[in-house]
Amino acid sequence: MEERQATFGINGFTLKCIAMVCMLIDHTGAVLFPQYRILRMIGRLAFPIYCFLLVEGAMHTSNIRRYELRLLLFACISEIPFDLALFGGIRWDHQNVFFTLFLGVVTIDLAKQCKNKIMILLIAAIAIVTAEFMHTDYSGSGIVFILCYYLLYERKIFRHFMLAVENLLLYGIGIQSYASLAALPMMLYNGKKGPSLKYFFYVFYPLHLLILYLIIRIIY
């Protein structure tokens, strides 16, 4: 993929780092310091950025099926660390965010092949219902965020505004409303990929959850 040229802004790698740090702060707060609400507020910025980058990846990847398989593989790898860190044991009623991202890319893949708007809406509805049924992280609303960025892909500024509106409509005024602040770093995106360390970001998710679980076991 040939990168678009820009003289200012931040690249995809920097956005991934911002999302990763926010996610780490969020999960550290959830597992070790639940009394500090500010940590969860900061963490709300992570998911919208990941959705944004997911769509960028889906639109520019040379092999979207390989992209889907990679997401599904790490969804399966991450499930046990996710359950242990956030719930203290294996659970079947809540799946990690990689499953949401996987469903989002599959939806984009199918929508790109379909020109009928009614069919696209049907595909989106099936993905949302599937996410809700599986109880994936962010569930159906996560699919809505991903579709927002896909369907408004050419509307570079408007899509961030719409995500903020959707976030408020879906979650109201509360801790999740801070996710709207993710629009600020995303609007600085310059279209460049930056350094390629994709497997580092994939591995980081289950690894940091496993470390948090081990820390909580040592402490208690």
Side-chain angles (χ1 to χ4, degrees):
M1 179 188 76
E2 184 177 341
E3 294 184 3
R4 288 163 281 175
Q5 298 298 313
T7 57
F8 64 95
I10 59 179
N11 58 33
F13 176 80
T14 302
L15 275 178
K16 285 181 183 178
C17 289
I18 292 171
M20 184 183 71
V21 170
C22 289
M23 178 182 68
L24 177 60
I25 291 171
D26 181 41
H27 290 161
T28 300
V31 176
L32 299 176
F33 307 106
Q35 68 274 30
Y36 297 117
R37 185 179 171 87
I38 183 65
L39 301 180
R40 308 307 309 280
M41 293 176 181
I42 295 171
R44 297 310 91 207
L45 276 66
F47 185 69
I49 297 175
Y50 279 128
C51 290
F52 173 77
L53 293 171
L54 183 85
V55 173
E56 286 291 316
M59 296 300 287
H60 293 97
T61 183
S62 59
N63 192 327
I64 197 167
R65 304 295 156 69
R66 188 180 300 166
Y67 191 17
E68 292 164 356
L69 287 173
R70 188 162 57 243
L71 288 166
L72 181 59
L73 173 62
F74 276 91
C76 295
I77 291 172
S78 302
E79 189 57 28
I80 290 178
F82 173 78
D83 287 346
L84 292 176
L86 298 179
F87 302 108
I90 305 301
R91 291 181 55 170
W92 305 104
D93 59 345
H94 199 137
Q95 319 308 320
N96 71 79
V97 75
F98 265 121
F99 284 105
T100 309
L101 300 179
F102 165 72
L103 289 171
V105 171
V106 170
T107 304
I108 292 172
D109 186 9
L110 294 173
K112 286 170 71 174
Q113 300 176 52
C114 182
K115 303 303 181 183
N116 188 300
K117 292 182 179 180
I118 300 298
M119 284 301 297
I120 292 175
L121 287 175
L122 179 60
I123 291 167
I126 291 172
I128 290 169
V129 170
T130 301
E132 289 287 337
F133 177 77
M134 292 177 63
H135 298 287
T136 65
D137 231 11
Y138 287 93
S139 299
S141 60
I143 304 299
V144 172
F145 290 160
I146 293 167
L147 287 173
C148 170
Y149 279 123
Y150 170 67
L151 296 174
L152 298 175
Y153 185 74
E154 299 298 330
R155 308 288 295 277
K156 301 302 182 183
I157 302 299
F158 184 66
R159 58 183 176 174
H160 299 306
F161 171 75
M162 283 304 300
L163 181 111
V165 170
E166 289 170 6
N167 186 61
L168 290 173
L169 289 174
L170 290 169
Y171 292 102
I173 302 298
I175 192 169
Q176 184 59 32
S177 63
Y178 290 92
S180 300
L181 296 175
L184 299 177
M186 288 189 288
M187 283 191 291
L188 297 176
Y189 178 57
N190 60 15
K192 291 187 175 184
K193 181 179 178 181
S196 181
L197 291 175
K198 63 182 178 183
Y199 283 104
F200 169 75
F201 293 104
Y202 280 100
V203 171
F204 181 82
Y205 183 75
L207 182 61
H208 89 280
L209 289 171
L210 182 59
I211 291 172
L212 286 173
Y213 171 69
L214 293 176
I215 291 173
I216 205 72
R217 285 298 301 269
I218 292 171
I219 292 175
Y220 297 103

